[in-house]
């Protein structure tokens, strides 16, 4: 059985409709956005999932990755403010927020971000001294992030992070820095040693002051005791107590003999005075002791059979 011209036209039309359906149905994967162009002009953005376009008048323009991406910044030489040449490399993280702006506001998105980052690295780090570069990486990263993100904002890009990976000074500069570090450590060690010596001298001086104060206090108390004893003897003399005089003289006499006997440069002690004088003084001491004991006894009388010693002086 033959087909008429109308049947053939219907078959061709159905076939074209099926082809158009396959052409117009677009599946966008997760993490991507597709731009749609009509006669070369941007019209809309397709989000992840199933989308339908007019395949006769519209076509897919750019397929943009909306996930956060990593861009490696190659090493470059930078001249610092103090004329030191260092090699610096880094890494940048960015994310597309607006697919249409990223597709149509800049040509070669990653190349533009790379050159923008390298230029700002030279600008920011070139305005700092070498010591600042080595000690303020966080401040450098924060400043780079702010500057690059502000410059890339019209492109629909969010710069999430800019990190400096390595800062490589020349070998001779590294050696000079090592010597400087050693000198600084030696300086700190000397300062600590001087502080320790200062503290020890202060403590030693305070110890001497305390010892002198205590010695003076001891001498003062000894002098007070000596004055008190002298006052007591004076009062006894005033009352006519001869035994007090004998006690006082005997005490001084025995102290003088002890000093002479303990002298290291004398082996023989010559006594140019009568030994009976010392015996008489000791007799006075005995009388004083006996008077004290007699005052403490219950009967208040002298013990039977005891009498005070008699001191006889003879001519030598």
């Amino acid at each position: 059985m033959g087909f008429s011209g109308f049947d053939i036209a219907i078959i061709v039309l159905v076939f074209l409709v099926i082809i158009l359906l396959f052409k117009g149905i677009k599946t966008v994967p997760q993490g991507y956005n597709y731009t749609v162009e009509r006669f070369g002009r941007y019209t809309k953005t397709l989000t992840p999932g199933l989308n339908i376009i007019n395949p006769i008048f519209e076509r897919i323009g750019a397929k943009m990755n909306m996930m956060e991406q990593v861009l490696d910044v190659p090493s470059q030489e930078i001249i610092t403010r103090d004329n030191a040449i260092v090699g610096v490399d880094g890494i940048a993280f960015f994310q597309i927020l607006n697919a249409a702006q990223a597709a149509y506001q800049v040509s070669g998105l990653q190349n533009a971000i790379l050159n923008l980052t390298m230029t700002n690295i030279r600008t920011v780090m070139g305005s700092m001294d070498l010591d600042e570069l080595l000690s303020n990486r966080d401040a450098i990263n924060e400043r780079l992030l702010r500057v690059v993100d502000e410059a890339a904002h019209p492109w629909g890009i969010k710069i999430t992070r800019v990190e400096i990976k390595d800062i490589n000074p020349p070998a001779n500069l590294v050696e000079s820095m090592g010597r400087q570090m050693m000198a600084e450590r030696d300086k700190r060690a000397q300062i600590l040693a001087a502080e320790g010596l200062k503290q020890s001298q202060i403590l030693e001086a305070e110890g001497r002051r305390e010892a002198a104060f205590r010695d003076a206090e001891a001498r003062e108390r000894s002098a007070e005791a000596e004055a008190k004893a002298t006052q007591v003897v004076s009062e006894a003399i005033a009352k006519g107590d001869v035994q007090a005089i004998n006690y006082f003289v005997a005490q001084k006499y025995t102290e003088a003999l002890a000093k002479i006997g303990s002298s290291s440069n004398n082996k023989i002690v010559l006594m140019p005075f009568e030994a009976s004088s010392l015996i008489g003084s000791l007799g006075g001491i005995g009388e004083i002791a006996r008077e004290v004991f007699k005052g403490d006894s219950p009967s208040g009388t002298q013990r039977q059979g005891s009498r005070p010693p008699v001191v006889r002086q003879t001519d030598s």
Side-chain angles (χ1 to χ4, degrees), residues 56-277:
I56 299 176
F57 305 106
E58 297 176 343
R59 69 181 184 88
I60 299 298
K63 299 179 179 180
M64 306 304 297
N65 186 352
M66 306 300 291
M67 295 178 288
E68 187 173 6
Q69 302 176 61
V70 181
L71 185 63
D72 189 36
V73 180
S75 178
Q76 58 178 331
E77 289 187 348
I78 296 175
I79 301 177
T80 62
R81 187 170 57 186
D82 53 352
N83 297 324
I85 301 177
V86 296
V88 179
D89 60 355
I91 190 170
F93 296 82
F94 69 95
Q95 186 177 12
I96 298 175
L97 301 180
N98 191 311
Q101 290 181 348
Y104 301 110
Q105 293 294 331
V106 61
S107 177
L109 179 62
Q110 290 194 358
N111 186 49
I113 296 175
L114 176 62
N115 285 276
L116 180 64
T117 304
M118 294 179 67
T119 302
N120 281 279
I121 286 176
R122 286 196 297 269
T123 302
V124 171
M125 301 183 70
S127 63
M128 305 173 69
D129 294 332
L130 180 60
D131 292 338
E132 294 178 327
L133 295 184
L134 299 176
S135 59
N136 296 324
R137 284 201 180 190
D138 291 339
I140 296 172
N141 294 335
E142 190 273 334
R143 185 176 174 185
L144 284 173
L145 176 61
R146 184 177 66 252
V147 173
V148 177
D149 182 59
E150 183 179 356
H153 181 71
W155 302 341
I157 304 297
K158 173 63 178 177
I159 306 297
T160 58
R161 187 177 303 172
V162 177
E163 298 283 347
I164 299 299
K165 291 196 297 184
D166 291 320
I167 300 177
N168 301 314
N172 57 349
L173 190 57
V174 172
E175 184 179 355
S176 300
M177 291 170 59
R179 292 196 300 267
Q180 181 182 0
M181 179 186 65
M182 293 300 298
E184 185 68 23
R185 290 185 176 179
D186 293 340
K187 175 184 175 182
R188 287 200 296 266
Q190 292 176 359
I191 291 175
L192 290 176
E195 287 291 337
L197 180 60
K198 175 184 175 182
Q199 291 297 328
S200 66
Q201 290 176 350
I202 291 175
L203 293 176
E204 184 179 356
E206 290 180 352
R208 291 196 302 269
R209 184 182 66 179
E210 184 68 20
F213 176 76
R214 292 184 180 273
D215 290 342
E217 186 178 6
R219 288 194 300 269
E220 181 181 358
R221 292 184 178 179
S222 177
E224 291 177 355
E226 186 73 18
K228 185 66 175 177
T230 305
Q231 182 181 359
V232 171
V233 172
S234 298
E235 292 177 355
I237 294 173
K239 295 178 180 179
D241 191 354
V242 182
Q243 295 177 353
I245 300 175
N246 293 334
Y247 170 76
F248 186 74
V249 172
Q251 181 184 10
K252 296 298 181 180
Y253 199 75
T254 53
E255 290 178 358
L257 286 179
K259 291 182 180 179
I260 294 174
S262 62
S263 176
S264 59
N265 58 352
N266 290 324
K267 301 302 180 179
I268 299 175
V269 178
L270 300 178
M271 305 291 292
F273 45 78
E274 296 179 352
S276 59
S277 300

Side-chain angles (χ1 to χ4, degrees), residues 279-296:
I279 297 174
S281 299
L282 294 177
I285 296 174
E287 279 296 323
I288 294 174
R290 189 172 293 108
E291 289 294 332
V292 172
F293 289 142
K294 186 188 340 184
D296 293 339

